[in-house]
Amino acid sequence: MAIGSGLGAQIGIAAESTYGTYVAPTHFPEFTSQSLMLKKTTAQSTGIAAGRLMALSSRRVVTQLGVSGSLSMEVANRGMGLLLQALMGTTVTPVQQGATAAYLQTHNLADTWDKSLSIQAGIPLTTGTVTDKSFVGCKVVSAEFSCEVGGMLTATFEIDGKNVSESETLAVASYSSMSPFHFGQMGLLYGTYGAETALDGVRKVSVKIERPQDTDRYYANQSAQKAQPILNDLTKVTASIEQDYVATTIDDLHTSDAATSLVWEFIGPEIAPSYNETFRIKLPAVKVDDAPPTVDGYGVVRTSYNLTGLFDETNPVAIEYMSADTAL
């Protein structure tokens, strides 16, 4: 029996071959919270019947089904590939680096069609029995990554799904040896694409990638379930930087409204000579929206800048992930 609290919970993930068709989990990421749940739309049949004072229970019907919620976790040095692929859209095969145990995943921005997941949540009763909720047709509609002084690199994935089953066999979770990326490994670089240099004074960075999709594709002949969501707007990329005012670099970019390439990276321990565990977000063109620094007391001047990611007409937004994972 499991522990009858969140200590006994688990999440399992698998890539689907067909949108909305359950696949038993193959990966079990460690997570900090999840809020996935079934969303249903109901309609109540009514009609005047002499002497009847309430609507009939037997005439309430479910007209639409769906899933929504989020999955939050620390970004680890292994096991992140399926979620990154679902977010970014490129079909990725890890590329072995030389003849070493290091494998590079390059997740370029692309269409997310057919990049759906089955996500199985194991939720413990207080008795220690772990209940199964297997969510199918899960599409990642946005993800936010964040790290600040003294902290871990964290990620929150917003999920839209098709349906849930409570009759699947709960998978036995297994965990590989994992370590989180953290502030001590963090670097932020700016400048010309491919030749970026370190930006000083950075205390906190957040990047959010939004993949807007039509999640309301309910049609006849679908048994109240939705068809696969389709991208229906431009991808939105935003970033924020909290920085001590050690130089005018970002301030000058705000004034000129010039674009700069931004690379946010975490370089971990060596997997093999010349190849380290790496998590890297590459934004080839960002522009600073606000705000110039102001002084509000005796302390070191500190400001937060909001930035918008744009297309430089050549290079895609990308996430690079170097790990020992030989497959997603």
Side-chain angles (χ1 to χ4, degrees), residues 167-182:
S167 60
E168 305 295 342
T169 300
L170 184 68
V172 177
S174 61
Y175 301 95
S176 58
S177 177
M178 293 182 284
S179 299
F181 291 103
H182 58 83

Side-chain angles (χ1 to χ4, degrees), residues 146-161:
S146 185
C147 186
E148 62 183 328
V149 171
M152 304 295 189
L153 171 61
T154 62
T156 297
F157 297 89
E158 296 294 333
I159 306 294
D160 175 86

Side-chain angles (χ1 to χ4, degrees), residues 185-266:
Q185 302 166 334
M186 188 173 94
L188 187 66
L189 298 84
Y190 79 102
T192 303
Y193 182 84
E196 297 89 351
T197 57
L199 185 64
D200 195 12
V202 175
R203 299 179 56 83
K204 180 179 179 180
V205 179
S206 295
V207 173
K208 186 172 185 179
I209 301 173
E210 299 176 64
R211 310 304 311 272
Q213 297 169 53
D214 186 345
T215 59
D216 195 35
R217 298 183 64 218
Y218 291 96
Y219 307 135
N221 306 311
Q222 297 288 334
S223 301
Q225 299 177 52
K226 69 177 71 178
Q228 182 175 175
I230 299 173
L231 290 176
N232 66 348
D233 203 347
L234 297 174
T235 295
K236 183 179 181 182
V237 179
T238 53
S240 65
I241 300 172
E242 183 181 294
Q243 182 189 32
D244 283 356
Y245 198 47
V246 299
T248 64
T249 307
I250 303 297
D251 190 15
D252 291 344
L253 289 169
H254 172 257
T255 301
S256 67
D257 203 43
T260 185
S261 174
L262 202 66
V263 175
W264 184 32
E265 63 183 15
F266 295 78

